Amino acid sequence: MSVKNLNEQKLKRRLLSLMSEFNALYQQKQPSHHFKSICVFDNYQLYVSEFLIKKIDQQVTRNNDFMIIHDIKYKRDELSISYTSQHDYDELIETLDCKG
């Protein structure tokens, strides 16, 4: 086995280890505030309305999913929510932002 292959194997193992650690932390998270399926940071209302987050929470619950919201901000007047979940909610967020 070459040195290159050994380094690749080490990197793959490290990546798998990091992914396992993240998965363990993800599994420990619980919904926050008055939500059923979303964990969001305190004072999120400073960035976006509670109505919008509740609508996202309804869809996440319907999908039997869980979402961790890491960051909320506006980029060029467009809502940007950084999150982790099993499903993609970008189109929903975009649609709700247009209505809001």
Side-chain angles (χ1 to χ4, degrees):
M1 192 174 258
S2 70
V3 174
K4 181 180 176 183
N5 289 340
L6 287 174
N7 286 335
E8 286 177 8
Q9 289 297 323
K10 286 181 185 179
L11 288 173
K12 285 180 184 177
R13 274 190 242 127
R14 179 66 181 145
L15 178 61
L16 288 174
S17 172
L18 289 171
M19 290 172 64
S20 293
E21 287 177 38
F22 177 80
N23 188 44
L25 291 172
Y26 181 82
Q27 297 296 326
Q28 292 174 1
K29 291 285 188 178
Q30 299 293 319
S32 54
H33 305 286
H34 305 287
F35 303 118
K36 295 180 181 178
S37 302
I38 292 181
C39 177
V40 64
F41 54 89
D42 291 334
N43 298 323
Y44 70 91
Q45 300 95 333
L46 297 173
Y47 305 97
V48 70
S49 71
E50 185 172 352
F51 172 80
L52 190 138
I53 300 297
K54 284 187 176 185
K55 288 304 231 179
I56 295 171
D57 185 49
Q58 288 175 351
Q59 187 62 43
V60 172
T61 302
R62 274 188 217 118
N63 291 342
N64 197 25
D65 196 2
F66 182 72
M67 177 187 283
I68 300 171
I69 297 178
H70 307 285
D71 190 28
I72 301 172
K73 59 185 158 195
Y74 280 88
K75 295 180 183 176
R76 297 182 211 101
D77 294 326
E78 289 185 20
L79 179 62
S80 172
I81 298 179
S82 173
Y83 64 88
T84 302
S85 68
Q86 292 179 350
H87 294 90
D88 183 359
Y89 297 97
D90 292 345
E91 286 183 24
L92 172 66
I93 293 167
E94 185 177 323
T95 303
L96 290 173
D97 184 40
C98 290
K99 290 180 181 177

